Amino acid sequence: MSIFLGYAATILVFFFTYNIFTLGLNIQFGYAGILNFTVITFMAMGAYFYAVFVMPRADTANQVYYILGLHWPWPLAMIAGVVASGAVGYLIGLIALKRLRSDYLAIVTLATGTLIYGLAGNQQHLFDGWAGLFNVNQPFQSVATNSPNEYSWILVLISGLLMLGVWWFANRLYSSPLGRSMRAIREDQEVVDAFGKNTFKIRMLAMVIGCVIVGLGGILTIQYIGALSPAGWTTGETFVVWAALLVGGRGNNLGSIVGSLLVAVVFNEATRYLPQVSSNPNLIPDLRNIIIGALVIGVLWFRPQGVLPERKPKFFEVPLTNTIATEDSDSRSIATGAGA
Amino acid sequence: MTLFLLTVGFGIVTASVLSLLSVGLSLQFGVTNYVNFAYGSYLGVGMMVAYTLSGTFHLPFVLSVVLATLITGLVAVLISEFILDPFARRRKSLFYMLIVTFGLSLVLDNILQIIYGVGFVEFPIAQSSPVQIGPFSFTKVQLIIVAVAIVAMVGIHLLLSKTRLGKAMRAMSDNADLARASGIDTRSVTRWTWFISGCLAGLGGIVLALNIVSFQTASGDAMLFVIFAAVILGGIGQTYGAMLGALVIGLVTETSVVYISSAYKQDVAFVVLILMLLVRPQGILAARGKA
């Protein structure tokens, strides 16, 4: 029974953290149309900075190196972690959110992700290189050592509460004036510019808020696992979050939750128990990546709005509106999409 | 000074490799108007097919290179015919194409990884000793790489300036709708463009593998943002700009080794990319409407 309970706790934490990642990406891409191709880098930044703030000084005698090592209490370290991932997002936004085609934004995020990945791996003194950080302090650690079975449920509670908070915030943001501006920029940035809005600032806000939320998910991940190395945040992981968002329905927070349930939990858990092929141990993870990539391409072909499409707001119809004209403007808004 | 000149020599070799790769990417961008994030995987296809043909099937190395180059071109055409081109015509928005090519890179990389694993391999050719040419020092292989790149660049120049296909490609790059209205068969031009882009990616991947000697399936992807840096530096979609960008990035990354650790070679390319995006995002040779 306790094995089953432990498994259930793992699944729940996993589900909640993936919800947080997907909600964060939804604010960036679903709301504001920002193509962030390195979501997982912000997860890693949140996790790493949480770790170096919460852990004691590095044990250099045992060849373990990392920066800081301030041994702060975990709630303070969590704040430091989200601030750090937000700051990295801000720096990338400074370069990428200028008035450029969305290709450039995608290239800059991808390039920065590759760069940070290389730095984190090759620079042993930053976050212990390829070995990664381990033995990261967890919240309520005394419980963890005394009764590890009950302990999982504390983390279920923490991640569940944080997920609810993010969910509440994302929904508030969606219908707020700021959220409406973000969605207007997604549809047509030039129109929003013409209305006198500072579109750079609004897109930057979406970028930073999204990165902070993804960083929060990263902190929960490292709190649960207690370790993170560069092998845990490759491009494939970024794509899992993208797949969850696109399958669920971009622009729709409920869709993000359905998507992370389907992709991150059901699909990943279902493939976890496939038998390992001894001659090719990477076969199953590789196949999983292929299927995730193909799934996204398939969804964009057959149902680009996702399982739960974003609900278009209904306004009072002006009686004299020409129906042909409305159809026209509808199809144009789809055609421009987020590609401005 | 000797060391500096020596690295200039390496810079010329890297620039040669990069010129093939960035011209291939830029040519395709100009015609289809979207970035191909799976380009790094095409490099992997080229080097791995050449490895299979020469290593497993024991074909002569030059023949393997030619075949692998053509096969990569063919793969690029097939992917465009069955996935990318239908998407581009069905969904007009740019972000679909970016996500689709990003997803495609994941699929291709992992297919290669299933077939070849993650280990490093080498081509079955003898390593030649360096020869001294003035202040520079090249291996025979590196000299061949430079020669191949020069021949390819002259070929691309002749293609673009002298042939009907090249003129049609430039017309599509300027304005695809106008080109279609003028009676250019844009689908056929797109197909040929993907073939040339794929061939350049395959050949570029192989010479990249020759230059770094031991390589794995992901070696192409590791190069992707250096290629982007070269392409953006020259002005995205600008073929001659891509050649110029490749030369600059190649020289800058290699000569930087004199001043900082060679581990940061790629980061130098990144810094150049960022500076360029901040100062002149349209590139040295700007194309209107493409930034």
Side-chain angles (χ1 to χ4, degrees), chain A residues 286 289-291 293-294 297, chain B residues 36-45 48 72 75-76 79-80 83-84 100-116 194 217-218 221:
Chain A
D286 286 347
N289 279 339
I290 291 174
I291 293 170
I297 297 176
Chain B
N36 176 15
F37 282 99
Y39 195 68
S41 319
Y42 291 15
L43 273 62
V45 171
M48 283 306 165
T72 316
V75 168
I79 288 173
S80 158
I83 301 173
L84 298 177
V100 168
T101 57
F102 188 37
L104 199 59
S105 75
L106 195 70
V107 173
L108 287 176
D109 280 348
N110 283 284
I111 289 176
L112 286 176
Q113 227 173 79
I114 286 179
I115 302 173
Y116 294 99
W194 274 109
T217 54
D221 261 338

Side-chain angles (χ1 to χ4, degrees), chain B residues 221-234:
Chain B
D221 261 338
M223 199 67 185
L224 188 61
F225 87 80
V226 182
I227 303 172
F228 279 140
V231 168
I232 288 177
L233 190 67

